[in-house]
Structures are given as structure tokens and as C-alpha cells.
Amino acid sequence: QVQLVESGGGSVQAGASLKLSCEMIGDTRAFGDRFWFRRAPGKEREAVAVIGPEDHTVYADSVKGRFTISKDTAVNKKIMYLQMNDLNPEDTGIYYCAIARGRQLPLRLREFNNGYWGQGTQVVVSS
């Protein structure tokens, strides 16, 4: 059993930055690709960033150049981050971290059924 706990959301003005964190609790050795998703009001959930086991990354076009996904897998410290810069109102939504069992090559943004999700953290960007 793996538990994911997000933090770092909040309400900011356009142009500001936020850094989301996702603590992964439990044995994550069977899991490969790690994602950040978001669900904007009235829209479908979308994957915005993914990081693979070798730290390769892929981003959605809407966040490329502004968001950075990273992870810290040092001993006893399993945390994933999403640094979000130059936020705009279209970035408003609930952000979820997720990990998929195994990996898929080439690395890509995708939905999946076999993995774990966090409960989400709210991000609100006002103009």
C-alpha cells in the first residue's frame, strides 16, 4: 500500500510562483513513472508533467517552460515536487500527484489504472 500526500497549494496573483510537494509513503520500488495531474474547473483531468526513473521529464505544452517536475529519492526521503512559475488564471485547479506501477517507454503523459493517487491540493490564480 502506498499513500501520496500533496501540499503547497494556495491562492496567488498571476505571475507568482508556487511549489507543490508530494510525499510518497510506503514501498514505491514497483512504481516507475511519477506524474502531476490537474483538474481545472469544468474541465477534464489532464496530466501536466511526468518524470521517469532516470529523471527524464515530459511536460504538457500549456506548462512547458514554466513548470518543473523533480523528485528526491534519497534514503528515507521520497518526495516529488512541481515548481510552478509565472502562474496564470488558466493554471487554477486541483493538482494531484500520482505514481504508475512500472513504466512506459517512451516516457509520455498518460492516464493509467494501476497506481496510486493523492487527494489533491487546490491552486487558485487570480488576475
Side-chain angles (χ1 to χ4, degrees):
Q1 185 75 15
V2 175
Q3 183 180 6
L4 306 181
V5 181
E6 300 101 335
S7 61
S11 296
V12 297
Q13 295 286 324
S17 298
L18 282 174
K19 187 172 185 176
L20 306 183
S21 298
C22 173
E23 183 179 6
M24 294 170 274
I25 303 168
D27 187 355
T28 60
R29 288 175 294 176
F31 298 86
D33 299 338
R34 290 159 164 82
F35 298 79
W36 284 97
F37 285 78
R38 71 181 177 194
R39 186 189 298 275
K43 294 186 177 180
E44 296 288 321
R45 184 177 66 195
E46 63 170 338
V48 297
V50 58
I51 186 167
E54 291 84 21
D55 289 349
H56 295 134
T57 58
V58 176
Y59 297 92
D61 288 343
S62 59
V63 307
K64 200 173 295 182
R66 301 187 297 120
F67 289 14
T68 303
I69 186 173
S70 61
K71 58 183 172 72
D72 184 345
T73 55
V75 175
N76 297 323
K77 190 177 183 183
K78 294 173 287 187
I79 302 178
M80 182 169 64
Y81 303 99
L82 186 68
Q83 176 68 47
M84 305 186 295
N85 298 329
D86 193 22
L87 287 161
N88 60 63
E90 289 69 40
D91 296 317
T92 293
I94 301 174
Y95 285 70
Y96 304 87
C97 61
I99 54 174
R101 189 174 293 275
R103 62 184 302 184
Q104 190 168 93
L105 293 174
L107 185 67
R108 63 184 181 90
L109 300 173
R110 59 186 173 95
E111 289 283 347
F112 56 89
N113 295 318
N114 195 358
Y116 289 93
W117 296 76
Q119 79 284 0
T121 186
Q122 178 79 50
V123 172
V124 177
V125 185
S126 55
S127 57

